[in-house]
Amino acid sequence: MNAVPGSPPVEAAAVAIEPPLAMLCELTHRCPLRCSYCSNPVALEGASHELSTAEWQDLLSQAARLGVLQVHFSGGEPTARRDLPVLVRHAVEQGLYTNLITSGVLVDQAMADRLAEAGLEHAQIGFPDITEEGSTLITAFKGGLARKYAAAAALKQAGVALTMNAVITRHNVERLPQMFEVAQQIGARRIEVANVQYYGWGLLNRAALMPSPQQLAWMTGVVTEARARLKGQLAIDYVIPDYYAKRPKACLGGWGRQFLNVTPSGTILPCHAAETLKNLSFDSIRDRSLADIWLHGSAFAAYRGDAWMPKGCRSCEHKETDWGGCRCQALALAGKADAMDPTCEQSPLHASVRAMAEQEAAANINTMTYRTFTDTAR
Ligand code: FES
């Protein structure tokens, strides 16, 4: 394993620390959409707390020096930041691969051209559905679907590579075959068939979004058929709801191993939901360097390696594949961040978590709490 370039050996660490592969920058929590599955924290950060352009640029430079290879500009809606092209250009100048994660509703041809000129390489556009009615049901934003199609066309015209992020809930599963057609029509080379991950607002609305096991089985068949039929034309990623999984996911490649997340105000997190772990304290880029936080920050050290793992995980043959699963999910479902991830079939809670998902899907509760922007003091 390689140490972080330019850093002294970390003698106290029980595990070797490699440079992070990717950094997700939540440039802002502002967003015109109010998606019921948004993974942002329920307590959003206001514009007055956001890092300045110069602070983001400095952070991007530090990230490149640390060894980060990819930067993902996200939000909220990242295009709500007027300085986005400046930040993209700065990232490119540091040698970082740039990806924009956007709803698309604020992207017109002029913005797409500015982003492409700045060097943006890839954009991922979120589609909560492919009908206006279904899209509005999730986003509480009328007219959004047409704007997404326009954004895709503009970015394609500007030469930016596209991925369609098709977010799946029990309300749109039946339109999955048409989603592959839409992906091809908009010129995407990749589609993510991404079942909602239940964090933040998504967790709050889980009962209103969860698909049934029958829907999941059907969807898996559709994906299998489409992968064979569209091989070489459209790459298809498929993410199932964790609650129906047998093995936990290696959340973000393992805690503190490959990924870091930056909130709009510059708090550096091991994952986007980490602030739900109230036993941890998190550092700000306004107080410490990125390398210092990555190497020595207490939150990153908390669940690195296997020392924290419960006995069943530490002796598991999969521990260096799934890295113990997801700590935020363990907290949400088992009440303890260092518990076995209940989506693992070895967990004593596994059967009850699946049963809960099935019951929620069957209850067919369709009332959603839409993302509401309140400037919550942090
Ligand atoms: Fe936090 Fe998985 S989202 S560890």
Side-chain angles (χ1 to χ4, degrees):
M1 288 190 181
N2 300 322
V4 174
S7 67
V10 187
E11 291 172 12
V15 287
I17 303 173
E18 294 186 80
L21 174 68
M23 178 169 80
L24 188 136
C25 300
E26 292 176 359
L27 295 182
T28 178
H29 278 162
R30 288 173 284 140
C31 181
L33 272 55
R34 302 180 57 207
C35 297
S36 53
Y37 57 51
C38 180
S39 64
N40 279 166
V42 174
L44 296 162
E45 292 181 354
S48 61
H49 303 297
E50 290 174 11
L51 295 182
S52 66
T53 305
E55 286 175 311
W56 278 116
Q57 287 175 313
D58 181 55
L59 174 60
L60 290 163
S61 299
Q62 289 191 47
R65 289 200 296 274
L66 181 59
V68 169
L69 299 177
Q70 308 166 359
V71 61
H72 304 277
F73 292 108
S74 178
E77 175 46 55
T79 56
R81 286 273 308 215
R82 292 210 181 135
D83 56 359
L84 180 61
V86 175
L87 300 180
V88 168
R89 185 180 299 281
H90 187 81
V92 171
E93 285 169 356
Q94 309 312 304
L96 295 163
Y97 176 86
T98 53
N99 176 36
L100 175 67
I101 300 172
T102 179
S103 71
V105 299
L106 301 179
V107 178
D108 58 13
Q109 191 62 59
M111 181 184 289
D113 290 343
R114 279 200 303 277
L115 290 169
E117 197 202 328
L120 180 69
E121 293 180 74
H122 183 269
Q124 176 184 315
I125 304 180
F127 281 79
D129 210 330
I130 51 168
T131 66
E132 183 58 42
E133 188 186 7
S135 188
T136 305
L137 172 71
I138 296 295
T139 63
F141 183 89
K142 284 191 181 153
L145 187 61
R147 292 209 204 184
K148 286 169 181 287
Y149 286 139
L155 287 161
K156 190 76 191 164
Q157 168 77 19
V160 177
L162 289 184
T163 288
M164 174 175 172
N165 182 237
V167 189
I168 307 297
T169 70
R170 71 162 173 269
H171 304 281
N172 65 5
V173 170
E174 67 200 45
R175 289 184 278 285
L176 181 54
Q178 291 75 42
M179 290 181 196
F180 297 121
E181 293 169 20
V182 168
Q184 291 192 292
Q185 284 160 11
I186 65 173
R189 296 302 308 272
R190 176 176 295 275
I191 181 171
E192 291 180 0
V193 179
N195 277 272
V196 169
Q197 300 291 294
Y198 295 102
Y199 302 99
W201 296 86
L203 182 60
L204 203 63
N205 287 301
R206 189 181 64 203
L209 302 170
M210 184 68 77
S212 68
Q214 294 77 15
Q215 285 181 312
L216 178 63
W218 182 81
M219 174 175 8
T220 301
V222 171
V223 168
T224 304
E225 183 279 326
R227 274 182 172 156
R229 179 168 46 86
L230 300 173
K231 195 168 179 195
Q233 301 170 49
L234 183 68
I236 301 173
D237 293 335
Y238 181 42
V239 180
I240 68 165
D242 295 335
Y243 292 56
Y244 292 126
K246 289 191 173 155
R247 302 227 34 90
K249 66 188 172 202
C251 196
L252 298 166
W255 185 277
R257 291 190 70 251
Q258 299 183 340
F259 177 88
L260 50 87
N261 188 99
V262 189
T263 74
S265 65
T267 304
I268 310 295
L269 305 175
C271 67
H272 56 286
E275 286 174 300
T276 59
L277 277 58
K278 302 297 180 201
N279 57 319
L280 302 182
S281 64
F282 302 99
D283 294 295
S284 169
I285 196 64
R286 285 172 167 153
D287 303 324
R288 291 176 79 172
S289 73
L290 192 64
D292 190 26
I293 296 171
W294 178 256
L295 290 169
H296 305 293
S298 61
F300 281 87
Y303 303 113
R304 251 188 199 130
D306 64 3
W308 63 271
M309 288 183 184
K311 221 161 122 199
C313 295
R314 210 176 313 147
S315 57
C316 177
E317 61 178 312
H318 302 292
K319 75 173 178 184
E320 292 195 354
T321 307
D322 58 36
W323 302 101
C326 177
R327 295 305 87 221
C328 302
Q329 196 138 259
L331 177 72
L333 297 177
K336 281 177 67 187
D338 59 359
M340 195 179 276
D341 185 333
T343 65
C344 176
E345 61 186 347
Q346 300 298 326
S347 164
L349 297 176
H350 182 72
S352 61
V353 163
R354 184 185 168 103
M356 179 177 66
E358 290 185 22
Q359 283 163 13
E360 288 183 347
N364 208 22
I365 298 164
N366 292 325
T367 313
M368 299 183 199
T369 303
Y370 289 102
R371 186 186 196 271
T372 306
F373 198 93
T374 49
D375 185 355
T376 308
R378 290 189 165 214

